[in-house]
Amino acid sequence: MKIELQKLTIADAPKWHKLQVEAYAPLLEKYQDHEISPASESLEQIVERMKAPFRDHFFVLKDGEVTGGVRTAWLTGATRYGLSGIFILPRFRDMGIGQIAMNLVAARYPDAETWELETILQEELNIHFYEKLGYKRVGEENVVNENMTLVSYIKEAIN
């Protein structure tokens, strides 16, 4: 199994949008977080995010087939980065693709000293995934609605 990242251009935005909606629609249905769910993002919002000089979007490929995506963001300071979205399509989950993709992302940014992200507290598999990768929970919980709470994680990069 060969996993790799393919950096996107604006021309890839429609495909990204379709895949992002497919990946996040079950969470949107479950948590009804229409204001912040990636499944609610319009194509125009995605294009605007892709134009930002401090963001990168990547398709996650398994043996050349698109299996998901990763969105990174350079945060304040020269060495602080964030994962502002990672998804693996349901039919490709539980194959180790996400873990390999996370390692590939980290390798693309050798100057990163910290990685930060938010995830849904109620999604135990996501919590387990990030903690297995060495992320530590920090900060306060952010209650989005009666169904969903976001929690923040940080990981110190090993250089």
Side-chain angles (χ1 to χ4, degrees), residues 8 27 91 136 139:
L8 275 65
L27 294 175
R91 65 187 173 277
K136 306 290 182 207

Side-chain angles (χ1 to χ4, degrees), residues 18-19 22 62 65-67 88-95 97:
K18 180 180 180 283
L19 295 171
E22 179 183 345
K62 174 188 172 280
E65 183 178 6
V66 176
T67 62
I88 302 298
L89 297 171
R91 65 187 173 277
F92 296 105
R93 292 184 186 150
D94 299 321
M95 297 179 181
I97 295 169

Side-chain angles (χ1 to χ4, degrees), residues 44-150:
E44 293 76 21
Q45 288 171 307
I46 290 169
V47 167
E48 286 307 308
R49 285 184 191 263
M50 292 177 99
K51 288 179 180 177
F54 56 89
R55 291 189 186 271
D56 289 322
H57 291 68
F58 301 94
F59 284 136
V60 178
L61 307 175
K62 174 188 172 280
D63 300 326
E65 183 178 6
V66 176
T67 62
V70 179
R71 180 168 54 200
T72 63
W74 171 72
L75 304 173
T76 57
T79 59
R80 198 172 142 237
Y81 288 81
L83 286 171
S84 57
I86 179 170
F87 62 89
I88 302 298
L89 297 171
R91 65 187 173 277
F92 296 105
R93 292 184 186 150
D94 299 321
M95 297 179 181
I97 295 169
Q99 186 170 346
I100 294 168
M102 294 284 281
N103 291 332
L104 290 173
V105 167
R108 281 205 175 234
Y109 302 93
D111 58 332
E113 292 180 6
T114 59
W115 283 95
E116 300 174 25
L117 61 88
E118 282 187 326
T119 195
I120 302 169
L121 177 63
Q122 291 80 2
E123 290 297 310
E124 294 177 10
L125 291 176
N126 289 355
I127 297 290
H128 175 74
F129 174 73
Y130 293 123
E131 290 179 354
K132 181 174 72 170
L133 291 173
Y135 283 81
K136 306 290 182 207
R137 194 164 151 192
V138 296
E140 301 293 319
E141 295 179 356
N142 176 15
V143 177
V144 175
N145 60 40
E146 65 275 1
N147 302 315
M148 185 174 106
T149 301
L150 294 177

